[in-house]
Amino acid sequence: MAYSFPEEVLEHVFSFLSSDRDRNAVSLVCKSWYDIERWCRRRIFVGNCYAVSPEMVIRRFPELRAVEMKGKPHFADFNLVPEGWGAYAYPWIAAMAEAYPFLEEIKLKRMVVTDDTLELISKSCKNFKLLVLTSCEGFTTDGLASIAANCRHLRELDLRESEVEELSGHWLSHFPDSCTSLVSLNISCLGSEVSFSILERLVARSPNLRTLRLNRAVPLERLANLIRRAPQLVELGTGAYSAEIRSDTFSNLADAFSACKQLKALSGFWDVVPSYLPAMYSVCSGITSLNLSYAAIPSTDLVKLISQCQNLQRLWVMDYIEDSGLDVLAASCKDLQELRVFPSDPFGAEPNVSLTEQGLVSVSEGCPKLESVLYFCRQMSNAALIAIAKNRPNFIRFRLCIIDPQAPDYLTLEPLDAGFGAIVEKCKELRRLSMTGLLTDRVFKYIGSHAKKLEMLSIAFAGDSDLGLHHVLSGCDSLRKLEIRDCPFGDKALLANAAKLETMRSLWMSSCSVSFGACKLLAQKMPRLNVEVIDERGPPDSRPESCSVERVYVYRTVASRQRLDMPDFVWTLDEDSSLRYS
Amino acid sequence: MDSDLNLKATELRLGLPGTTDAISPPKNNKRSSPDSDSAPSPPKAQIVGWPPIRSYRKNNLAEAESGSFVKVSMDGAPYLRKIDLKVYNGYLELLEGLEKMFKLTIGEYSEREGYKGSEYAPAYEDKDGDLMLVGDVPWEMFESSCKKLRIMKASDARGLGCAV
């Protein structure tokens, strides 16, 4: 019985719960547990910044120290969400800076972050320690300068693949000499030079530095000096890995690497000169994560490097590796868990490298722990997919992209339904799936029947009719995120499964056959869903109701339905189905 | 008029050279009405956001293109190698690279005598299919015209001069 334990004891017990799910479950037990839990929750994850309002979060959790949040839908990565759609961080930060003076960590993904936002964080949160901005935009190096200058205890500054307007390279010099707390610095997304001497001094005075990811502008000749000042590094991202071939540069670099006994992850590798790769061989046996996805290196050199890394768990590489290289990977790296193969020439009409479905089959055969795959290729067959599914029933993430979006089985010219069907049937723990190729409603029937643990599904140019969408919405019990583009899915399936949408985080449909009338009906039926019509052709009510909308984004929300920051191409619908503009 | 001036070739736009409208800015992604049934497979070059690669990666890709890989054969060797000409800044580096790759010495180039004093001489096949001696033309010209490299025995290379 709750009242026989003093609150302090319960609080202490709850402090061992780190998972959000556990904490959410605990808070549902009874009112007093709800109250105790909310006062001692320190970390929160908001998967959709519009699903809840800052005020609601602050009211419920008065003592947060760490906030993680996501903004734009995933398809924004591929330019499918028009510029200006939303996901502004400022309103959140403004509210939280006031409510949480002890806020320490902020992680944002796909959000618009301005310099003002960064300045506000740096000036309001005296104990600020960690800033991770993944695929964000809207800020300049001035914003970074405020963070560097004002956050006295900064431990992590990680600008993963964000778009930064670079006004000057001098922002780095705003770290005061007294700042020695850095543990992680990732500036790999920056295009322009930063002052090397400033960087070197910063690295030299950061004894706890574990992660250093440089940008392309840091030349190879400078790398040795930087590494030498941080032999305790665990993760290193190089700059451009090319230089005139000179033996002193080489031996300098090799010496520096050999002093790094703790190195586990390597990335960077722009503009690689293969002759310099052996400089790293001394650390290869300890490497568990290798990101060569920007490195244009021929297969032979890739293979030489990879076969030194027997403890590799994660490999990101370009298709230069070819089937032959993947064979070697399969033979050498038995601990491999994640493989991503990116296309070197995605827009070319003809294949430029010899990478086919065979490479993936080899790796699935040879690597017993492989559970996560992202694979770009130009041909696929049902036979290969079936073999892969049989070899590797432990897949958790399976993302396949065939360059020609409606490519059939290249051997039989049939749809790839059977192949993907095998994947979902055999891989019972599958949580994420992206499919391409010629696919009919049948594949969605398989998915609906078998993919019971599937949480995220991405579909493009697939299916024949609403039945396909219906199978997915009615069958996938664990579905949280569904993103669809260019499929003949429309009103019937959507409206028949309206209730399902409230159990999901979001649904994105672009260039499908969803009519404006159906959007209105959906909004009417489901008051706790925000139905956003994103259409650049002008107000949807200026066209017949049966007209399809360009894009619709549906997400559950407990915030007031109308967000106030909508641009002129986004409309939401009130309960009475009247059109609302911002 | 347009074709005479070839305005398209000098047009500034997003996208890799040689492709048409492969990447369009978001505002312009007008698509044909999704109401049209049985949409035929759209031509690859005109699909927005396809293949699904993030802009960040696409931008880096444009510079990582490797149209400059060429095959290198060596007389007497059982198989060929491939190198990326782009990684070398000039002939000196290229020859050093070749020497390392094939474990041989190539010797010094002189305009008059080619590669005197070594067992091997580097030659290349140019756009016209002619076998040329490496080193005669400026590096940039060589880079763009070299289709294949061949490391020949010096004895066979005698008499190989620059095509006039």
Side-chain angles (χ1 to χ4, degrees):
Chain A
M1 300 275 253
Y3 54 73
S4 37
F5 278 124
E7 274 187 22
E8 298 80 37
V9 174
L10 278 172
E11 216 183 282
H12 183 69
V13 172
F14 294 168
S15 70
F16 291 98
L17 297 174
S18 50
S19 128
D20 285 337
R21 283 216 174 124
D22 290 342
R23 280 192 166 261
N24 290 346
V26 148
S27 63
L28 290 174
V29 167
C30 62
K31 272 199 109 185
S32 79
W33 279 37
Y34 175 94
D35 255 328
I36 297 167
E37 194 283 319
R38 64 182 265 265
W39 277 96
C40 68
R41 193 177 304 210
R42 298 282 173 265
R43 320 189 71 91
I44 193 174
F45 170 73
V46 179
N48 172 5
C49 62
Y50 291 120
V52 66
S53 74
E55 293 71 35
M56 294 172 86
V57 172
I58 294 169
R59 198 162 49 231
R60 179 167 172 190
F61 300 114
E63 307 255 300
L64 292 181
R65 298 273 154 87
V67 175
E68 184 178 346
M69 190 171 312
K70 295 187 180 179
K72 300 185 204 171
H74 174 238
F75 272 178
D77 283 355
F78 316 128
N79 291 357
L80 294 181
V81 179
E83 194 84 21
W85 172 79
Y88 302 105
Y90 191 80
W92 277 93
I93 303 297
M96 293 193 305
E98 212 191 295
Y100 305 126
F102 298 111
L103 193 62
E104 293 178 2
E105 299 184 11
I106 294 175
K107 296 184 192 169
L108 303 174
K109 184 167 185 179
R110 280 189 217 103
M111 293 194 76
V112 178
V113 180
T114 57
D115 284 347
D116 287 345
T117 314
L118 294 176
E119 202 184 327
L120 188 55
I121 296 172
S122 73
K123 296 216 167 120
S124 317
C125 307
K126 297 297 171 201
N127 219 20
F128 195 69
K129 297 204 167 79
L130 183 152
L131 182 65
V132 177
L133 300 174
T134 308
S135 304
C136 292
E137 44 160 353
F139 59 102
T140 77
T141 39
D142 286 353
L144 296 177
S146 329
I147 297 284
N150 302 323
C151 301
R152 303 274 142 152
H153 307 285
L154 194 69
R155 293 214 196 122
E156 287 192 38
L157 178 60
D158 190 340
L159 306 174
R160 282 174 218 183
E161 302 190 352
S162 289
E163 256 179 60
V164 186
E165 196 186 327
E166 297 174 60
L167 303 172
S168 117
H170 291 297
W171 67 272
L172 208 59
S173 60
H174 287 256
F175 278 109
D177 286 338
S178 55
C179 175
T180 58
S181 49
L182 269 185
V183 173
S184 169
L185 180 65
N186 177 359
I187 56 170
S188 55
C189 62
L190 298 182
S192 34
E193 262 183 34
V194 292
S195 154
F196 302 133
S197 53
I198 305 257
L199 188 55
E200 272 171 33
R201 289 213 303 274
L202 182 59
V203 169
R205 67 174 185 275
S206 305
N208 298 317
L209 196 66
R210 292 278 170 277
T211 299
L212 178 63
R213 299 204 198 272
L214 304 166
N215 63 338
R216 194 176 191 163
V218 176
L220 193 59
E221 292 90 347
R222 289 278 179 172
L223 188 59
N225 281 350
L226 280 163
I227 302 178
R228 242 184 256 287
R229 285 167 170 65
Q232 75 283 4
L233 277 180
V234 175
E235 299 182 330
L236 171 69
T238 72
Y241 206 77
S242 69
E244 234 179 76
I245 301 176
R246 295 169 51 131
S247 54
D248 53 350
T249 315
F250 183 95
S251 49
N252 215 6
L253 190 58
D255 282 344
F257 267 117
S258 59
C260 296
K261 308 281 183 210
Q262 323 229 35
L263 214 44
K264 289 224 163 329
L266 287 170
S267 61
F269 299 110
W270 289 277
D271 314 316
V272 175
V273 167
S275 321
Y276 275 106
L277 290 174
M280 298 192 310
Y281 282 179
S282 59
V283 297
C284 284
S285 58
I287 294 296
T288 56
S289 168
L290 190 53
N291 182 352
L292 295 167
S293 61
Y294 299 108
I297 328 179
S299 184
T300 38
D301 295 296
L302 280 170
V303 154
K304 265 193 241 149
L305 180 59
I306 290 169
S307 39
Q308 310 260 338
C309 305
Q310 281 103 6
N311 289 313
L312 204 57
Q313 290 170 15
R314 175 175 13 170
L315 176 65
W316 291 22
V317 73
M318 284 220 264
D319 56 10
Y320 294 124
I321 192 170
E322 299 191 320
D323 288 342
S324 53
L326 290 175
D327 285 340
V328 176
L329 179 68
S332 328
C333 303
K334 295 304 182 183
D335 277 346
L336 195 70
Q337 291 169 19
E338 177 180 330
L339 174 67
R340 294 195 191 190
V341 178
F342 295 96
S344 53
D345 186 19
F347 304 109
E350 296 301 320
N352 60 324
V353 290
S354 174
L355 178 104
T356 68
E357 80 282 9
Q358 196 42 54
L360 187 54
V361 173
S362 298
V363 182
S364 72
E365 235 172 69
C367 301
K369 301 194 188 162
L370 188 67
E371 60 178 28
S372 175
V373 157
L374 169 61
Y375 199 77
F376 281 81
C377 60
R378 284 174 187 264
Q379 67 187 39
M380 188 47 64
S381 67
N382 283 310
L385 284 170
I386 291 169
I388 291 166
K390 238 176 113 194
N391 290 336
R392 219 36 48 230
N394 47 321
F395 272 130
I396 292 180
R397 281 170 228 103
F398 190 78
R399 297 159 70 187
L400 181 70
C401 179
I402 308 171
I403 299 286
D404 176 1
Q406 289 181 307
D409 176 327
Y410 78 100
L411 294 168
T412 64
L413 297 183
E414 282 174 1
L416 290 170
D417 298 338
F420 280 106
I423 295 280
V424 293
E425 200 191 339
K426 292 281 188 322
C427 306
K428 308 218 187 291
E429 300 299 313
L430 195 67
R431 295 204 300 254
R432 183 168 180 181
L433 177 66
S434 306
M435 312 187 291
T436 32
L438 186 62
L439 296 162
T440 72
D441 283 347
R442 220 175 319 129
V443 75
F444 298 111
K445 188 152 183 249
Y446 298 145
I447 292 176
S449 322
H450 295 287
K452 296 304 181 185
K453 300 252 179 101
L454 192 66
E455 296 180 8
M456 181 167 179
L457 179 62
S458 310
I459 312 172
F461 303 99
D464 309 309
S465 73
D466 269 20
L467 201 52
L469 180 57
H470 175 70
H471 285 311
V472 171
L473 288 176
S474 57
C476 296
D477 300 333
S478 311
L479 198 60
R480 291 191 299 115
K481 290 180 278 184
L482 180 58
E483 46 184 27
I484 304 173
R485 63 164 295 180
D486 295 273
C487 296
F489 297 151
D491 304 346
K492 278 205 286 264
L494 204 55
L495 292 171
N497 293 284
K500 170 75 174 177
L501 299 178
E502 228 184 70
T503 69
M504 294 165 50
R505 182 188 295 171
S506 65
L507 166 68
W508 169 277
M509 293 179 73
S510 56
S511 306
C512 296
S513 313
V514 179
S515 72
F516 178 55
C519 294
K520 278 171 52 167
L521 268 172
L522 184 61
Q524 217 173 16
K525 242 176 130 168
M526 311 291 304
R528 283 190 298 195
L529 289 180
N530 211 358
V531 179
E532 285 192 17
V533 171
I534 303 167
D535 204 314
E536 292 171 289
R537 297 170 299 177
D541 56 4
S542 63
R543 290 179 291 279
E545 273 201 11
S546 55
C547 204
S548 297
V549 297
E550 276 181 350
R551 309 166 195 81
V552 61
Y553 183 45
V554 182
Y555 53 89
R556 66 180 174 191
T557 180
V558 293
S560 115
R561 238 166 166 191
Q562 312 309 331
R563 59 182 179 102
L564 302 169
D565 58 0
M566 294 187 296
D568 59 9
F569 51 83
V570 179
W571 290 267
T572 54
L573 297 143
D574 270 341
E575 268 109 61
D576 61 0
S577 288
S578 64
L579 211 52
R580 264 289 215 108
Y581 313 67
S582 230
Chain B
M1 231 2 162
D2 251 350
S3 51
D4 291 343
L5 293 171
N6 200 7
L7 288 173
K8 215 154 178 56
T10 54
E11 185 188 37
L12 275 180
R13 55 189 163 88
L14 294 173
L16 298 170
T19 62
T20 42
D21 297 331
I23 311 160
S24 321
K27 285 268 177 201
N28 293 338
N29 60 356
K30 301 277 183 249
R31 293 195 42 75
S32 57
S33 164
D35 292 325
S36 60
D37 35 30
S38 62
S41 163
K44 270 196 294 270
Q46 281 165 32
I47 309 175
V48 172
W50 195 267
I53 304 171
R54 297 162 79 173
S55 329
Y56 180 70
R57 190 165 287 284
K58 269 196 283 233
N59 297 338
N60 275 282
L61 205 57
E63 300 162 63
E65 262 189 333
S66 74
S68 44
F69 269 88
V70 294
K71 289 186 191 168
V72 190
S73 61
M74 180 167 110
D75 290 357
Y79 52 83
L80 283 66
R81 302 299 304 270
K82 244 188 176 169
I83 58 169
D84 182 357
L85 288 180
K86 272 218 333 261
V87 313
Y88 303 106
N89 290 330
Y91 284 122
L92 207 59
E93 282 182 19
L94 170 66
L95 296 178
E96 269 176 23
L98 290 174
E99 284 180 332
K100 259 204 166 145
M101 189 179 252
F102 293 90
K103 316 243 181 306
L104 43 76
T105 37
I106 287 180
E108 273 209 89
Y109 167 82
S110 78
E111 205 181 333
R112 235 167 50 108
E113 295 174 329
Y115 290 87
K116 195 127 195 239
S118 68
E119 248 192 290
Y120 294 94
Y124 69 101
E125 201 182 297
D126 73 358
K127 279 205 265 242
D128 304 325
D130 294 326
L131 194 61
M132 316 282 294
L133 189 69
V134 168
D136 286 335
V137 301
W139 173 255
E140 286 73 25
M141 195 185 295
F142 164 76
E143 253 195 321
S144 53
S145 56
C146 171
K147 289 287 155 251
K148 234 174 162 176
L149 274 164
R150 179 177 156 198
I151 302 185
M152 302 174 66
K153 287 238 154 65
S155 44
D156 295 337
R158 207 160 295 142
L160 192 71
C162 195
V164 173

